[in-house]
Amino acid sequence: MTMYVITHKHFYYQNLPNGYMPLLVGANKNANPDNFLTDNTGNNISAKNVSYCEETGLYWIIKNTNDKNIGISHYRRYFANFKNRKSMLLSILLKGKVKPISTEILDEILKNGYAWIVSQQEAGGPGTIWNQFALNHNIQDLKTTEKVISDLYPEYLSDFEQVIKNSETGSFYNMFYTSRQEAEAYSNWLFDILFEVEKQTNIADYDSYQKRLYGFLAERLMNVWLHHRKAKVKYLPVFDLSKMDREYAWKKIKGRMK
């Protein structure tokens, strides 16, 4: 049982809970002063990291490890053991800090019948997920993704319609915790789609942010996968270590009061 912490650089990892393991992605080019696990060994797609983001880490985990339960966090983003974001913010306001949820608690959640643990749903902007993508990225790339799904996995097309075109919130960040069996099935489906979308899209002229296209698509597609599977999902709030202090919590709480 391992929660892999995806990073592209050095970070302070010494206080991570037991079961949390840093994994350096884009390791073909990123320095590794801490001797983290790297995504460029064994069966890997590390060279695609600039456009696949966390997903080169997911690919490496699926192809090169054998943990019974596996998950992905980020070097600065983690799941917290709270019912929702509001209760997490109130706790930070009182205690001044929050810590990543333990793998023991995550494993217990799965034992209690949940298939997936993902981030609490939120909006990525105004309108539907489709509209949000159109505001921030090239909508043609999402149209290409829809076409690829219709060709490779037509049984998922209605789920894409419901989740991407008719929903305003989703679970983002490419973060999760689940069983190996579920993660492998999701990974096979996801990379079938992403590799084909990559063949049909051209990101050569995109800036460094927009070149992260396939990572952005993966964030949305995980929601499509979960909707189709009708999986029992546990939603947990996510916190950013670089922001989570009393001042940040108070600003967020005040904003919700208005």
Side-chain angles (χ1 to χ4, degrees), residues 63-104:
K63 299 296 185 181
N64 299 282
T65 69
N66 57 10
D67 308 274
K68 180 182 177 182
N69 296 331
I70 53 181
I72 287 180
S73 295
H74 300 169
Y75 70 96
R76 60 190 176 94
R77 286 195 183 99
Y78 301 92
F79 292 113
N81 187 25
F82 290 93
K83 183 179 180 181
N84 52 45
R85 197 172 291 110
K86 180 180 179 181
S87 60
M88 179 181 72
L89 290 170
L90 287 172
S91 178
I92 294 169
L93 194 60
L94 293 172
K95 299 179 180 179
K97 60 181 180 180
V98 63
K99 60 183 181 180
I101 190 172
S102 71
T103 54
E104 289 83 4

Side-chain angles (χ1 to χ4, degrees), residues 19 40 79 90 98 117 120 124 129 132 134-135 144 202 234 239-240 243:
N40 66 342
F79 292 113
L90 287 172
V98 63
I117 300 163
Q120 183 180 337
I129 294 176
Q132 294 161 22
L135 284 171
T144 299
N202 184 356
K234 177 73 173 179
F239 68 95
D240 186 331
K243 298 178 181 178

